[in-house]
Amino acid sequence: MASNRDEFPPATKTAIAKRSGFHCAICNAMTIGPSAESPMSVSNVGVAAHICAAAPGGRRYKTSMTRKKRMDITNGIWLCQTHAKLIDTDEANWTIERLIDVKRSHEAQIQRSLGVPILLDWCAVSNDDKTKRKSKGLRPRECAFVRVGDLIPEYRIVLKPMLDDRELSDDAELGILMSGDREGGETEWTTFVDAEWLRWLLRGQESGFGFSGGMPSEFIYGRMPAWPDTFFEFLAAIVMAGTTFAWQRSEGGFLCLSQPNDPDTRVTAGTP
């Protein structure tokens, strides 16, 4: 028997899936992956669902819509099996307008995530629980962007060796990352990085991605203890304690303001 459903052509189904990154547009679940049946087998649990139903009596069916429009990619949304069923059992909640908006937002998110590395942490993953606990303090707590010419004079004087080393002019922009755990008693670090790289990373985080491995040293300009809002307290502590800090070349090639010959404050390649 001939079907009265206006189904999507195979090429349209494929395009809907690819534009969704093979992720459900509602829950972002991955819907495609390898099957163990053979080296060429693939498991696909996704559905190219109709926003407006493919046949009379279906959810959100529009009599005014032409058959061609009903089969068009603009009427399709990629969903996991669960949400493909859900939208057809709760039409009051999953309206045409809402599904169109969900699809638009999801595809925009997929577009922003193109080329962004996936996973996991700012530190290398380790099976050692102690390393995992330590890595938590290295997650960036705050970040900012600042023009070199807008730095307060005292801060700029301290940063001058780093600025000169990277030949950063007044018009250059710094990306600033604050990391460490005040409550955990770990050292608070301010890391100065390439601003465009930091924007790229933040776009990835907005898309639900992180950065695997350590922070690439080639994007780091320099690093110093203390967060910007504790800068003057840091200077006062140096004076009161009579300690010596100097800019030193790290193994990663960037400068680090640290105590000479202190292995706890020296920076190794790839460490944020």
Side-chain angles (χ1 to χ4, degrees):
M1 294 179 61
S3 172
N4 66 341
R5 289 179 55 84
D6 297 326
E7 300 287 5
F8 297 118
T12 300
K13 290 183 180 181
T14 300
I16 293 171
K18 288 183 176 180
R19 287 182 61 85
S20 196
F22 286 97
H23 286 74
C24 173
I26 294 177
C27 68
N28 204 36
M30 173 59 77
T31 61
I32 196 166
S35 165
E37 290 192 351
S38 78
M40 294 291 289
S41 296
V42 173
S43 293
N44 182 5
V45 295
V47 177
H50 285 76
I51 295 175
C52 295
R59 298 293 181 149
R60 297 170 299 277
Y61 183 79
K62 292 179 67 175
T63 56
S64 61
M65 183 177 282
T66 65
R67 182 171 185 268
K68 181 179 179 181
K69 192 68 174 177
R70 211 170 278 124
M71 298 167 62
D72 191 75
I73 192 170
T74 57
N75 191 40
I77 183 171
W78 189 256
L79 301 174
C80 65
Q81 298 280 354
T82 298
H83 281 104
K85 175 66 174 176
L86 177 64
I87 67 169
D88 285 345
T89 56
D90 188 0
E91 183 179 356
N93 193 33
W94 294 100
T95 63
I96 295 173
E97 294 74 21
R98 184 179 181 188
L99 288 173
I100 291 173
D101 185 60
V102 166
K103 176 184 177 181
R104 183 188 301 113
S105 297
H106 179 71
E107 289 186 350
Q109 176 186 340
I110 294 298
Q111 186 176 44
R112 289 194 302 269
S113 69
L114 289 174
V116 178
I118 302 175
L119 229 113
L120 258 183
D121 204 341
W122 291 77
C123 309
V125 177
S126 169
N127 290 325
D128 182 80
D129 288 339
K130 181 178 179 182
T131 302
K132 287 182 179 179
R133 287 196 300 271
K134 183 178 180 181
S135 71
K136 290 173 65 177
L138 294 173
R139 293 176 183 271
R141 303 302 183 201
E142 299 178 52
C143 62
F145 298 91
V146 64
R147 179 176 164 273
V148 170
D150 293 333
L151 292 168
I152 61 173
E154 296 85 353
Y155 209 59
R156 180 165 178 168
I157 290 171
V158 174
L159 296 181
K160 189 176 187 305
M162 181 196 77
L163 299 175
D164 292 345
D165 183 63
R166 291 302 182 120
E167 299 180 347
L168 298 172
S169 67
D170 283 355
D171 292 329
E173 188 178 31
L174 292 173
I176 304 177
L177 285 170
M178 283 71 85
S179 61
D181 189 350
R182 289 176 169 176
E183 295 181 359
E186 296 185 13
T187 302
E188 300 158 10
W189 290 100
T190 297
T191 305
F192 303 92
V193 300
D194 179 274
E196 285 306 307
W197 177 81
L198 179 56
R199 285 194 174 91
W200 171 83
L201 183 65
L202 294 176
R203 285 196 297 269
Q205 289 183 330
E206 290 173 0
S207 301
F209 294 85
F211 192 85
S212 60
M215 188 187 304
S217 57
E218 62 266 29
F219 297 113
I220 302 176
Y221 295 152
R223 193 179 186 213
M224 63 179 291
W227 290 352
D229 60 349
T230 60
F231 170 69
F232 289 106
E233 289 89 338
F234 169 64
L235 294 183
I238 292 176
V239 174
M240 292 177 63
T243 54
T244 301
F245 277 74
W247 287 97
Q248 303 176 84
R249 184 76 59 186
S250 71
E251 293 181 21
F254 53 88
L255 293 181
C256 177
L257 184 65
S258 58
Q259 292 179 278
N261 303 318
D262 184 349
D264 293 332
T265 56
R266 287 190 63 79
V267 180
T268 55
T271 302

